């Protein structure tokens, strides 16, 4: 065998072995099958009275006062799911976002290590001009690595 043929064979074998090792590692660390339809759009609870197990563990739950005073700070808590979503190396929440309508208010990025629970608190101030109709919609979004982007909303009164 000449040198060129030896090098070609060695490189090809290394690539195949590396790819096979990567696939085996991916199957070992990410054993759950992914439903790609969950990544096509923003997922929301379809019927609040009959939530599916996936909706109960993935839809953001917003806890805030029903009425706030414009210009005064208040606390908004966002948790991922009614039953808190687990954080494992194979299945985790990447971030939690909070917006006032279309305006971003805050974002927390999470690591898939299992040290944190996907529940965060934001201190929010709504200026009077942000709620000309006397109400504002809080919008929380979260991203799950296996189940895509999820959104929850809550309307509050602003006096």
């Amino acid at each position: 065998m000449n040198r060129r043929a030896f090098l070609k064979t060695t490189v090809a074998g290394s690539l195949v072995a590396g790819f096979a090792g990567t696939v085996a590692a991916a199957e070992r660390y990410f054993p759950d099958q992914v439903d790609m339809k969950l990544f096509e759009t923003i997922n929301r609870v379809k019927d609040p009275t009959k939530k599916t197990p996936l909706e109960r563990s993935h839809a953001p739950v917003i806890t805030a006062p029903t009425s706030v005073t414009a210009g005064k700070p208040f606390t908004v808590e966002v948790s991922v799911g009614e039953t808190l979503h687990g954080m494992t190396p194979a299945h985790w929440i990447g971030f939690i976002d909070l917006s006032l309508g279309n305006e971003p208010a805050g974002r927390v990025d999470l690591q898939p290590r299992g040290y944190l629970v996907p529940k965060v608190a934001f201190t929010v101030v709504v200026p009077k001009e942000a709620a000309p109709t006397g109400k504002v919609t809080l919008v929380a979004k979260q991203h799950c690595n296996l189940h895509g982007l999820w959104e929850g909303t809550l309307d509050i009164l602003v006096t």
Side-chain angles (χ1 to χ4, degrees), residues 61-147:
V61 175
I62 303 170
T63 305
T66 56
S67 177
V68 299
T69 304
K72 296 205 176 181
F74 62 97
T75 301
V76 176
E77 287 186 351
V78 179
S79 59
V80 177
E82 293 172 3
T83 56
L84 281 178
H85 190 285
M87 298 286 280
T88 67
H91 189 187
W92 70 88
I93 301 303
F95 65 82
I96 299 172
D97 261 352
L98 180 67
S99 299
L100 299 172
N102 291 328
E103 292 294 321
R107 177 181 170 127
V108 174
D109 291 316
L110 304 170
Q111 298 297 316
R113 299 259 190 255
Y115 302 130
L116 298 174
V117 292
K119 182 177 182 178
V120 297
F122 297 94
T123 301
V124 180
V125 176
V126 178
K128 187 69 173 169
E129 59 272 9
T133 62
K135 78 171 194 168
V136 68
T137 301
L138 300 174
V139 181
K141 292 180 184 165
Q142 67 86 1
H143 186 268
C144 173
N145 73 311
L146 296 181
H147 300 109

Side-chain angles (χ1 to χ4, degrees), residues 34-41 43 143-148:
V34 176
D35 182 359
M36 293 309 292
K37 290 179 185 172
L38 293 171
F39 290 88
E40 293 173 358
T41 184
N43 300 294
H143 186 268
C144 173
N145 73 311
L146 296 181
H147 300 109

Side-chain angles (χ1 to χ4, degrees), residues 3-26:
R3 183 173 187 240
R4 177 168 285 166
F6 172 77
L7 290 174
K8 283 182 182 179
T9 305
T10 303
V11 168
S14 296
L15 290 174
V16 169
F19 180 71
T22 301
V23 170

